[in-house]
Amino acid sequence: MRGRLLRAWREGLKAAGSGVGPRREPPWRVLFFGTDRFAVTTLRALQAAREPSRGLLVSRLEVVTLPSRLPVELPVKSCARELQLPVHEWPQTGPAGHFDVGVVASFGRLLSKDLILQFPYGVLNVHPSCLPRWRGPAPIVHTVLHGDRVTGVTVMEIRPKRFDVGPIIKQEECPVPPQCTTKELEVILAEMGAKMLLSVLKNLPESLENKKEQPTEGVTFAPKISVAESCINWEEQTAAQIIQLHRAIGSMFPLQTLWKGSTVKLLDFVEVDSIPGSAGMCSSINLLSKVLALT
């Protein structure tokens, strides 16, 4: 009932603003929200969907991204400029009532109810996990860190006030490649998610009608990773845990340890079958640090 009322409200707002009801088929007018490399893959897929040779799935495309605190632009903003797309810096979102659907990919900000209701078809989120597993801002990192063998992508409907709790529109699984890093898995899931989103947009009204609520069992959370978690505790962590940590966060924060009173960054690791004199080590594998760099 609540879903039908929200849908009716959206359609009423659209009709009041334009004099006609929402369109029922592509091409769609899309407002995209994103920031990082994962989001860039989805943005490029939406831009490609504007070409008549691709079926003209998208007619209008604009971008909302966050202001950057770094000297360089965020990847989504750079990509939008390259593609010559209009860019709005959050909290600015462009003119209300000019878009059919919103799309979020790795945006990191909650959208208000008023903003969501500006879109006749709501806001879709491309999330790189099989929800409800790994809700939160770092699902790929936690997938690798916890040694998951299976992951996937969920295209879900955004709900206000909470992250990653909305109903599932489309979900697909994929195996996690052995010894995969977060960066490598991000590429796989980004491409997978972009394809899934386009599939949803091809039959958007029907896809939304067939959505289902997330299971209440199996909920896990994927909070942000801080640099403090890159510090190795040799007494408590096994070699297997250390190499898993490196694969998960090494591209963001090189692992650190103390060497003769100085902090040292361990830039890479190699796994070896055996080290002379290593009998009695507390794990099933041995590690050698490949590169050491004094901070």
Side-chain angles (χ1 to χ4, degrees):
M1 174 62 75
R2 184 170 179 268
R4 290 197 296 271
L5 289 174
L6 285 174
R7 188 159 55 248
W9 187 7
R10 290 180 185 133
E11 294 182 2
L13 287 175
K14 182 66 179 178
S18 63
V20 295
R23 61 188 70 192
R24 295 290 301 172
E25 58 185 27
W28 309 111
R29 298 167 299 173
V30 178
L31 184 60
F32 178 79
F33 300 77
T35 57
D36 60 15
R37 293 172 307 188
F38 177 86
V40 164
T41 302
T42 300
L43 179 58
R44 290 191 179 279
L46 289 170
Q47 172 68 0
R50 301 177 71 187
E51 299 176 10
S53 61
R54 303 288 185 94
L56 195 60
L57 192 58
V58 176
S59 60
R60 178 176 182 173
L61 181 60
E62 297 188 16
V63 175
V64 178
T65 192
L66 303 178
S68 177
R69 299 177 181 177
L70 303 175
V72 296
E73 290 183 331
L74 292 173
V76 160
K77 189 170 185 179
S78 297
C79 179
R81 292 191 185 281
E82 173 196 333
L83 300 176
Q84 299 182 354
L85 297 172
V87 179
H88 310 281
E89 282 199 353
W90 181 261
Q92 302 301 317
T93 58
H98 288 211
F99 301 95
D100 302 301
V101 63
V103 172
V104 169
S106 192
F107 186 57
R109 293 292 186 275
L110 289 171
L111 306 189
S112 69
K113 182 177 180 179
D114 288 342
L115 177 58
I116 294 171
L117 290 174
Q118 289 180 14
F119 302 93
Y121 290 102
V123 181
L124 314 181
N125 180 26
V126 182
H127 184 83
S129 81
C130 288
L131 291 170
R133 184 160 179 80
W134 301 134
R135 291 175 178 172
I140 304 177
V141 172
H142 285 273
T143 295
V144 175
L145 183 61
H146 290 80
D148 289 6
R149 295 185 178 182
V150 177
T151 185
V153 175
T154 304
V155 178
M156 53 162 290
E157 190 175 51
I158 287 285
R159 287 285 184 260
K161 299 182 180 180
R162 293 181 64 192
F163 285 114
D164 307 329
V165 299
I168 295 170
I169 300 170
K170 188 176 182 68
Q171 186 174 89
E172 294 182 5
E173 292 185 348
C174 73
V176 178
Q179 302 181 342
C180 189
T181 66
T182 292
K183 199 170 183 179
E184 292 166 343
L185 187 58
E186 179 185 84
V187 173
I188 295 170
L189 297 182
E191 294 175 353
M192 181 177 173
K195 292 177 182 177
M196 290 171 59
L197 174 67
L198 297 186
S199 175
V200 168
L201 291 177
K202 287 178 182 178
N203 300 287
L204 183 55
E206 180 182 355
S207 296
L208 291 173
E209 288 172 2
N210 294 326
K211 66 190 177 186
K212 58 181 180 180
E213 295 297 326
Q214 294 185 32
T216 56
E217 302 82 19
V219 176
T220 58
F221 296 96
K224 287 183 179 181
I225 298 293
S226 70
V227 67
E229 294 171 78
S230 67
C231 299
I232 297 175
N233 188 326
W234 299 101
E235 288 76 21
E236 297 182 5
Q237 292 171 292
T238 66
Q241 291 171 332
I242 293 169
I243 198 69
Q244 201 72 16
L245 181 65
H246 172 65
R247 289 178 184 141
I249 71 172
S251 60
M252 299 180 293
F253 310 115
L255 302 195
Q256 303 179 58
T257 189
L258 290 177
W259 177 258
K260 295 183 178 180
S262 298
T263 300
V264 175
K265 291 182 179 179
L266 308 178
L267 302 183
D268 202 359
F269 294 87
V270 292
E271 297 180 50
V272 294
D273 293 330
S274 63
I275 301 175
S278 65
M281 286 188 67
C282 59
S283 70
S284 60
I285 65 171
N286 294 307
L287 299 180
L288 284 175
S289 175
K290 189 176 181 182
V291 180
L292 296 180
L294 290 176
T295 57

